[in-house]
Amino acid sequence: MLPFDVLLEYIKRKHCFDFTDYKRSSLERRVQHRMSQLGIENYSEYLSYLEDTEEEFTHLFSAIEINYTYFFRDRDSWDYLYREIIPRIRATKQPDEPIRVWSAGCASGEETYTLAIVLAEALGIEQFNQRVHIFATDVDDDALEKARQGSYSEREVTQIPPHLLSQYFKQSNDRYQFRKDLRTAISFHRHNLVQHAPMSKIDLLVCRNTLIYFDVDAQTKVLVRFHFSLKDRGFLFLGKAEIVPSQLQLFKTLNVNHHAYTKLPKEYLSPHLFIKAFKRPR
Ligand SMILES: C[S@@+](CC[C@H](N)C(=O)[O-])C[C@H]1O[C@@H](n2cnc3c(N)ncnc32)[C@H](O)[C@@H]1O
């Protein structure tokens, strides 16, 4: 086994985190960056350091999991969601029917709260409170803790249009707290997209700038799981750099620029792909 694989095996055994599905070149680059910060030159030496230093896994994890995010990232795509997708979800439902949303790879919550604001603007506060539930998930515990707090600095909220900032956040000194009455519609959970069972009966699945971490096999596996998660004719909203390969026959493209998709009926899905996506790792 190559020294880098020995390192990945150790992490899997000791910390129950499997990085083998991640893109190899960027993973190696990030681990090497962490090693250079410590002045360590090879993987074997780094493995010994990891074994001996209790807090090192947290540093390594932060170096690998880039949680870069901000409110209203790719603003025009959120406008598209507001104008085109949410009205379509609304049109297919009874006025009091729940709307289930999954924010997957939510990092420190900026995307999830953006989603909540866009939904509340489109549906109205009352409808939002009565009907919407947002499941927000990520693998990074520190990011999730920040997301649960829903409190952001002045610098972090600069991308929020001022009228929405004053409507959806309460300012206290130099912090901005997301509205408590809308916060109850959102629950944050630790969830690994490659390893854990997916959510179900979802109307809208937002997973942006997260699939790019995974290699092609893992991306396919996650997309098949997303297909399972969504209700018939549910919507998938990916990041600007992410696409669903059309040969997978999982989703129909609604808008190429905004990476918006709708679920194709399950009859199109190859049983082989389905079995592969849900097979338990040995
Ligand atoms: C670049 S951030 C994207 C945040 C936000 N979605 C956005 O677009 O601004 C990627 C997030 O994916 C999460 N992530 C990486 N691997 C994951 C996995 N296997 N399961 C769930 N989340 C994962 C990381 O922890 C990180 O918070």
Side-chain angles (χ1 to χ4, degrees):
M1 217 190 260
L2 294 169
F4 190 63
D5 293 306
V6 176
L7 178 67
L8 295 186
E9 259 317 298
Y10 168 79
I11 293 171
K12 191 169 160 186
R13 213 176 49 249
K14 177 81 199 302
H15 297 279
C16 297
F17 203 96
D18 190 355
F19 282 116
T20 46
D21 290 318
Y22 283 49
K23 277 184 188 147
R24 181 77 177 209
S25 52
S26 45
L27 192 60
E28 285 207 47
R29 215 174 36 248
R30 291 194 180 127
V31 175
Q32 280 167 10
H33 177 67
R34 176 64 194 151
M35 284 163 42
S36 74
Q37 286 177 332
L38 297 164
I40 293 176
E41 281 175 9
N42 63 59
Y43 293 128
S44 311
E45 199 189 325
Y46 182 63
L47 177 56
S48 307
Y49 182 77
L50 195 59
E51 284 170 328
D52 296 343
T53 319
E54 207 180 305
E55 65 280 5
E56 177 52 20
F57 182 66
T58 314
H59 296 303
L60 176 64
F61 195 76
S62 308
I64 292 173
E65 299 291 341
I66 304 292
N67 320 109
Y68 181 67
T69 185
Y70 54 93
F71 287 99
F72 287 92
R73 186 172 187 176
D74 305 319
R75 174 73 192 270
D76 52 337
S77 293
W78 293 101
D79 289 341
Y80 172 80
L81 192 74
Y82 170 84
R83 273 186 289 106
E84 304 289 335
I85 304 289
I86 301 171
R88 285 175 70 161
I89 295 174
R90 198 177 195 177
T92 58
K93 286 186 173 284
Q94 298 297 321
D96 56 348
E97 237 185 300
I99 297 176
R100 288 165 62 86
V101 181
W102 182 9
S103 166
C106 65
S108 40
E110 286 86 337
E111 176 181 281
T112 310
Y113 293 115
T114 301
L115 186 54
I117 294 170
V118 172
L119 282 158
E121 285 293 294
L123 300 168
I125 298 286
E126 204 183 314
Q127 285 276 303
F128 177 89
N129 268 336
Q130 285 169 3
R131 300 177 63 188
V132 174
H133 191 97
I134 304 178
F135 303 90
T137 62
D138 203 282
V139 276
D140 186 334
D141 285 320
D142 291 342
L144 281 170
E145 195 40 48
K146 178 169 178 189
R148 286 191 186 100
Q149 306 278 329
S151 167
Y152 299 91
S153 69
E154 204 146 325
R155 190 178 49 79
E156 287 166 328
V157 299
T158 47
Q159 304 288 336
I160 306 178
H163 71 287
L164 296 178
L165 182 62
S166 59
Q167 202 182 332
Y168 289 93
F169 289 81
K170 191 170 164 222
Q171 186 181 1
S172 171
N173 300 321
D174 56 352
R175 305 291 300 176
Y176 292 81
Q177 177 75 48
F178 187 72
R179 272 173 72 156
K180 291 237 158 48
D181 58 332
L182 305 189
R183 171 68 180 81
T184 50
I186 307 169
S187 54
F188 290 96
H189 308 271
R190 186 176 189 281
H191 178 276
N192 187 324
L193 290 168
V194 190
Q195 291 170 3
H196 297 146
M199 308 283 154
S200 62
K201 300 193 175 80
I202 297 296
D203 294 294
L204 170 63
L205 203 170
V206 175
C207 182
R208 314 190 75 235
N209 309 298
T210 297
L211 289 180
I212 39 171
Y213 282 110
F214 306 137
D215 65 19
V216 173
D217 276 355
Q219 284 185 7
T220 304
K221 182 173 172 176
V222 173
L223 287 168
V224 174
R225 286 161 170 241
F226 283 174
H227 184 273
F228 165 86
S229 291
L230 284 166
K231 283 186 184 160
D232 290 345
R233 292 191 295 276
F235 297 96
L236 173 67
F237 188 39
L238 298 179
K240 286 268 172 170
E242 296 153 329
I243 49 161
V244 181
S246 56
Q247 69 271 19
L248 292 180
Q249 305 262 61
L250 294 170
F251 299 97
K252 184 175 116 191
T253 307
L254 288 177
N255 188 298
V256 186
N257 293 332
H258 300 301
H259 300 255
Y261 301 86
T262 184
K263 175 176 169 166
L264 282 174
K266 15 186 189 311
E267 293 76 59
Y268 287 91
L269 174 63
S270 128
H272 169 68
L273 268 185
F274 187 83
I275 292 164
K276 214 169 139 200
F278 284 91
K279 201 165 78 185
R280 280 179 177 278
R282 270 182 282 156

